[in-house]
Amino acid sequence: MTRILPRKDVVIVGLGWTGSIIANELADEGLDVLALERGPWRDTATDFNIGYAQDELRYAIRRDLFLQPGTEAITMRNNAGQTALPMRDYGSFLPGHGVGGAGVHWNGHTWRFWDSDFRINSHLTERYGAAKFAGLDLQDWGVTAAEMEPFYDAFEYLCGISGKAGNIRGQKQPGGNPFEDPRAREYPLPPMQMTYAPTLFAEAAKSLNLSPFPTPSANLSAEYVNPLGIAMGQCTMCGFCERFGCANYSKSSAQTCVLPVLMRKPNFELRTECEVLKIEKHRSGNMARGVTYMDASGEEFFQPADIVLLCAYGLMNVRLMMLSGIGKQYDPNTNEGTVGRNYCYQTNCGTQVFFDGKEFNPFIAAGSLGQSVDDYNGDAFDHGSVDFVGGAGINCIPTNARPIGYRPVPPGTPRWGSAWKRETARNYRSTLSFSCQGSSYPQRGNYLDLDPTYKDRHGRPLLRMTFEFPDNDIRMSHFMSDRSEEVARALGGRQYTTSRTAKAWNSVPYQSTHNTGGAIMGTDPTRSAVNRYLQSWDVNNVFVVGASAFAHNAGKNPTGTVGALAFLAADAIRNRYLKAAGQPLVAA
Amino acid sequence: MLSPPNGSGSRRELLASVTAISLAAGAHAAAARSYSGALPFRTYSADPPRPVLPGAWLFFTQDEAVAVEAMVDRLIPADDLSVGGKEAGCAVFIDRQLAGPYGNSSRLYTRGPFAQGLPTQGYQGEANPAQRYRAGLAAIDSWLKREKNRPFAALPAEEQDAFLTGLDKNEITLPQGGAGFFNLLLQNTMEGFFSDPVYGGNRGMASWRMLGFPGTRYDYRDWVSRHNQRYPQPPVSIMGAAEWSPRAGAAR
């Protein structure tokens, strides 16, 4: 039996970055806000405790802070001709779990997407003609970089991002990223102190006439008090960042940037270990009544609410929409439908340069402490002479040297025995790594839907992911491998090795937790799930916030844009929706 | 056993629910884990790992333990760089892992139907790591008894290496239950050799000393700008360092 609870103004599904940002904004508006979080409460002192946070086995290998497949798995296949099977353990990507979500265990690379991303179809059509990207379902997002700027700014100042601006109100800034769009002001904090490997990388990049700059980082270069009045500490470069909660209050997260203020607001309530099963719609179909959820004891509740915000991990937002009948399931055969389309990922390659006699001290590291090059990212360069669109950032960001996972050895080294050990010891401190994080563009065969066979612990269908690297993206990535080899040669060293992206996408080795799309924002209600305010085209009081809204993925980490979209949605609700409750903010 | 994850039944969750019930007093039962008006905090609710203690095998039989100790000692042989896998505690590490949530796959997706997967779909077997060890070690033992008339531990080192190489290169096909076992063994052996000593392997931080990894030192701000100069400090474990105090000798 489902128990019916007292009404709330707003119910938020998931209390990570987006949920906490919007909850805080809407609580300031005076609304009665409830967040339902599937996982447990997590906070720095108790869960990322300084006494044992630096435990590679527990957090990086056994993944204590992550979503476990027993709670929710996803099935995968490379194309519709195959039978999808469950990822019995997560590998290629690792969704978060609990309060803070994936924002607990991220590295902290905090990018802005470019105007040429938000207007990707218009931009590429104007520059090259639409035939240049035939076969790719590239769509404009419905916003411009100029419209996104204040929301990026709000997120960066909330976090205390360390970086160097490349363009302030149209004025190029030496030392910053020359390809970025204009920003209103400098980053809140200066760049981090550089370690040795990125310093050498930047010198090599400059020798090739590239434009290296410090990677914008959510690992704080100095003490900081954010606009909410929350204080953070300086990063100590301990090298336990990605896959770990920060024990030092120096990595931006919901815990360090929002919750100390949000949790004290009397008109905000959090219920943990409550899994939302479904968004319930009115009979009319174009409004939600609230959500049904189950608590840890297995009891079911109906929570009525006037506004429902999906702020779970992007993939889970998409699945909840499908389970709730919000939007029309995308069908790759007809190319019709709004939910499940434009699923994208990231197209990466990596390079290792082996030196003799250098001491990189690779364990002195932080998640975003490094140097980046955007000369070949997105549409920063003329694609007239190449057979692809898109690109990649080249990033030398040695995030850690935790030895279960980090043991670089030259190709051909045995996996065990005396020779293995000799090479492992020889190369551990003297290897420089950098990687290319490449764009991922939508194509018809890549999509999300509900699996016909496999069920979760509540008997609901799992999400099914059908994905293969598009030919365009493979060509892009090979181009980047070639550019990487130029940088590797400029670095010198004894030898180097560069990987090359190949089909088929493999769900086992870790690649990136940058899963995007499935509930994309856009201008066409028949080809996108939400409008430019992240409001569902179909159910007017449902907003869907996260990387699920990305119409494609750029060669950049998504969190900066995810955070900006949270501020965008909060602004739209405060300043538009509340004045027109129940109404579509964009005419369909 | 390792500390449990923050999944159901963990100490941390129990405390959370106790906290929450008191918070929710007078409210409806739905708010059994409801937080409002304050940052929830309760002292002693952290969940540190419990150090692996020496003692009897928890998962392996005596014969299995002898075989695994011999195998980890060939995968990681003793030489001038470090002690071998056996002395480093890799078999103890694996034993304790198999006796805990890792061994029984309690966190993974273990519902059927089970089907033969593609390489891109990862492990699709029904057996958990504990079952794979039991079957894999039995398969190795029966193959060796048939072909060599002796168990693994009784072979000379060169023959042990030749056998492991055959498994690694898929040149030896084990009877039922042996497929994929070598990769699992190798992965767990490396985990044991390189993880924090709190879990029973990497005794004396042998692998960290070999690499020059300082372990859980936490603050490198005074060294970050000293480019190309080797960081001079010895490693520290979650349990501290042997040289710090007699009590921390457990790290040895």
Side-chain angles (χ1 to χ4, degrees):
Chain A
M1 204 189 97
T2 303
R3 292 183 45 190
I4 300 172
L5 299 171
R7 189 194 67 84
K8 293 276 187 178
D9 293 330
V10 181
V11 64
I12 296 179
V13 183
L15 193 67
W17 263 132
T18 61
S20 61
I21 287 170
I22 301 179
N24 193 55
E25 294 277 318
L26 298 187
D28 282 350
E29 194 64 37
L31 298 177
D32 196 12
V33 180
L34 167 69
L36 296 171
E37 166 56 48
R38 172 164 64 184
W41 170 253
R42 294 195 202 281
D43 205 358
T44 305
T46 44
D47 297 286
F48 326 136
N49 186 283
I50 191 66
Y52 56 87
Q54 294 175 290
D55 183 340
E56 181 183 15
L57 184 77
R58 177 176 181 175
Y59 296 110
I61 307 297
R62 302 286 182 257
R63 308 174 197 144
D64 239 26
L65 296 174
F66 291 94
L67 175 67
Q68 300 295 338
T71 303
E72 181 175 345
I74 295 171
T75 71
M76 70 76 62
R77 57 183 180 174
N78 294 116
N79 59 65
Q82 300 171 347
T83 302
L85 293 178
M87 291 180 258
R88 296 191 174 277
D89 197 0
Y90 283 114
S92 182
F93 56 89
L94 304 172
H97 186 62
V99 169
V104 165
H105 62 73
W106 70 316
N107 264 328
H109 309 182
T110 311
W111 296 100
R112 296 183 175 197
F113 283 17
W114 294 337
D115 198 58
S116 53
D117 289 307
F118 297 119
R119 298 178 55 255
I120 191 163
N121 188 302
S122 306
H123 171 87
L124 292 178
T125 302
E126 286 157 17
R127 190 166 182 183
Y128 307 109
K132 181 80 179 172
F133 56 94
L136 299 174
D137 189 14
L138 289 168
Q139 297 187 33
D140 291 355
W141 295 34
V143 291
T144 64
E147 289 164 342
M148 290 292 288
E149 201 287 332
F151 304 121
Y152 276 122
D153 181 88
F155 185 64
E156 289 164 359
Y157 272 75
L158 183 80
C159 291
I161 301 301
S162 309
K164 179 76 194 83
N167 182 336
I168 297 178
R169 298 201 189 115
Q171 297 294 311
K172 293 278 165 112
Q173 306 291 314
N177 182 357
F179 302 101
E180 70 176 5
D181 292 306
R183 57 175 66 239
R185 50 181 172 164
E186 186 50 273
Y187 282 102
L189 290 176
M192 305 179 78
Q193 284 190 78
M194 267 316 128
T195 46
Y196 185 37
T199 305
L200 286 188
F201 169 85
E203 289 168 9
K206 278 183 192 157
S207 77
L208 296 169
N209 293 318
L210 301 174
S211 314
F213 57 91
T215 309
S217 169
N219 322 131
L220 272 57
S221 63
E223 293 171 10
Y224 183 67
V225 179
N226 80 3
L228 300 180
I230 304 171
M232 296 174 68
Q234 182 183 42
C235 175
T236 57
M237 293 155 282
C238 78
F240 288 77
C241 211
E242 185 177 34
R243 304 193 181 197
F244 299 80
C246 180
N248 196 53
Y249 301 87
S250 51
K251 177 168 76 175
S252 316
S253 66
Q255 275 81 2
T256 50
C257 299
V258 187
L259 295 178
V261 163
L262 173 64
M263 293 302 293
R264 290 186 169 91
K265 292 186 174 166
N267 55 334
F268 174 73
E269 180 190 356
L270 163 66
R271 293 181 202 147
T272 59
E273 289 162 77
C274 292
E275 179 165 7
V276 173
L277 303 174
K278 194 178 180 193
I279 298 115
E280 306 288 352
K281 291 189 287 188
H282 278 291
R283 209 167 286 145
S284 67
N286 66 0
M287 289 290 282
R289 296 187 293 127
V291 302
T292 298
Y293 73 89
M294 186 180 279
D295 75 3
S297 71
E299 192 171 0
E300 237 178 68
F301 301 89
F302 174 64
Q303 175 62 60
D306 291 350
I307 301 175
V308 176
L309 304 177
L310 298 190
C311 293
Y313 191 65
L315 294 172
M316 287 60 186
N317 283 345
V318 173
R319 177 169 177 251
L320 262 179
M321 293 176 80
M322 292 173 178
L323 291 170
S324 308
I326 297 176
K328 183 182 169 193
Q329 172 64 51
Y330 173 71
D331 179 352
N333 296 308
T334 60
N335 210 24
E336 289 176 0
T338 57
V339 180
R341 70 184 304 148
N342 289 45
Y343 171 70
C344 292
Y345 195 38
Q346 205 87 72
T347 322
N348 299 338
C349 59
T351 298
Q352 290 176 320
V353 186
F354 301 93
F355 288 88
D356 286 318
K358 286 212 184 295
E359 292 286 351
F360 287 118
N361 293 320
F363 38 82
I364 302 179
S368 324
L369 172 47
Q371 292 273 332
S372 294
V373 165
D374 261 358
D375 296 65
Y376 299 113
N377 210 342
D379 203 43
F381 63 106
D382 183 1
H383 287 64
S385 62
V386 297
D387 56 356
F388 60 85
V389 288
I394 313 178
N395 304 295
C396 180
I397 309 169
T399 61
N400 77 92
R402 302 182 300 261
I404 302 175
Y406 178 85
R407 279 178 275 120
V409 288
T413 303
R415 297 198 295 163
W416 53 278
S418 294
W420 159 80
K421 202 203 281 186
R422 199 170 51 245
E423 287 300 311
T424 300
R426 178 190 184 196
N427 293 290
Y428 176 77
R429 298 192 313 277
S430 57
T431 301
L432 181 155
S433 302
F434 61 90
S435 60
C436 295
Q437 178 163 253
S439 53
S440 177
Y441 287 168
Q443 73 173 14
R444 190 186 268 212
N446 292 339
Y447 70 107
L448 307 169
D449 65 354
L450 294 175
D451 191 272
T453 306
Y454 291 94
K455 308 277 193 274
D456 71 5
R457 56 189 179 159
H458 307 303
R460 301 176 304 162
L462 298 183
L463 189 73
R464 177 169 68 178
M465 176 181 288
T466 305
F467 181 77
E468 179 57 284
F469 296 115
D471 290 336
N472 173 80
D473 296 358
I474 297 255
R475 290 194 293 269
M476 177 279 296
S477 191
H478 288 182
F479 174 86
M480 293 310 304
S481 293
D482 294 341
R483 302 290 76 75
S484 296
E485 295 195 0
E486 292 166 2
V487 176
R489 285 193 287 271
L491 276 159
R494 182 177 78 239
Q495 68 179 111
Y496 69 87
T497 177
T498 296
S499 69
R500 287 190 176 257
T501 303
K503 296 185 179 188
W505 170 60
N506 185 342
S507 69
V508 180
Y510 184 77
Q511 286 153 70
S512 174
T513 307
H514 303 166
N515 312 90
T516 66
I520 66 169
M521 59 195 293
T523 55
D524 179 350
T526 69
R527 296 171 71 221
S528 56
V530 296
N531 63 29
R532 58 163 295 183
Y533 301 109
L534 304 186
Q535 179 188 36
S536 163
W537 287 114
D538 301 275
V539 184
N540 294 336
N541 58 343
V542 170
F543 290 72
V544 187
V545 188
S548 46
F550 290 16
H552 69 277
N553 200 11
K556 294 188 168 78
N557 306 61
T559 301
T561 301
V562 168
L565 288 177
F567 278 105
L568 176 148
D571 178 74
I573 293 167
R574 290 182 82 164
N575 296 315
R576 296 172 190 270
Y577 182 80
L578 292 178
K579 293 173 184 140
Q583 299 304 309
L585 300 180
V586 178
Chain B
M1 205 183 87
L2 289 191
S3 56
N6 289 333
S8 67
S10 77
R11 184 155 52 106
R12 167 115 182 78
E13 236 169 40
L14 193 66
L15 284 168
S17 71
V18 170
T19 314
I21 285 164
S22 60
L23 280 175
H28 44 76
R33 288 188 175 109
S34 165
Y35 307 105
S36 189
L39 267 177
F41 180 77
R42 203 171 166 85
T43 49
Y44 306 115
S45 60
D47 189 11
R50 269 144 272 176
V52 162
L53 300 173
W57 301 103
L58 298 185
F59 174 77
F60 291 136
T61 66
Q62 189 59 35
D63 287 348
E64 287 172 337
V66 168
V68 171
E69 287 197 314
M71 288 173 197
V72 300
D73 227 27
R74 294 318 303 161
L75 297 177
I76 302 173
D79 56 22
D80 57 322
L81 290 169
S82 77
V83 297
K86 176 180 172 180
E87 196 181 332
C90 291
V92 174
F93 167 87
I94 295 172
D95 178 74
R96 302 307 197 268
Q97 290 288 302
L98 294 176
Y102 173 75
N104 63 28
S105 291
S106 61
R107 307 179 189 184
L108 305 189
Y109 187 81
T110 51
R111 291 163 198 273
F114 291 89
Q116 183 79 39
L118 300 162
T120 58
Q121 293 175 314
Y123 178 72
Q124 290 293 332
E126 202 165 352
N128 62 37
Q131 292 162 334
R132 293 173 71 190
Y133 268 84
R134 192 121 283 153
L137 292 171
I140 286 172
D141 204 51
S142 68
W143 191 93
L144 284 173
K145 280 184 175 145
R146 192 178 70 228
E147 301 288 329
K148 303 279 179 188
N149 208 25
R150 320 191 232 187
F152 184 85
L155 294 172
E158 313 80 68
E159 288 193 47
Q160 289 179 331
D161 283 355
F163 174 72
L164 293 173
T165 302
L167 289 182
D168 188 8
K169 297 186 185 304
N170 284 318
E171 291 161 1
I172 292 174
T173 306
L174 291 173
Q176 187 157 21
F181 176 68
F182 179 81
N183 284 335
L184 183 66
L185 174 70
L186 182 62
Q187 173 200 324
N188 295 149
T189 303
M190 295 301 170
E191 287 169 358
F193 192 56
F194 290 107
S195 62
D196 194 285
V198 73
Y199 298 109
N202 193 16
R203 272 187 208 143
M205 299 179 274
S207 73
W208 294 358
R209 291 180 203 281
M210 173 183 89
L211 295 175
F213 174 61
T216 66
R217 286 185 185 278
Y218 150 72
D219 190 347
Y220 296 114
R221 283 175 294 182
D222 60 353
W223 207 267
V224 62
S225 296
R226 299 173 79 156
H227 291 177
N228 210 12
Q229 295 178 51
R230 183 171 180 176
Y231 182 75
Q233 302 296 334
V236 176
S237 144
I238 288 172
M239 296 183 292
E243 50 268 37
W244 285 5
S245 74
R247 273 193 66 221
R252 249 180 295 124

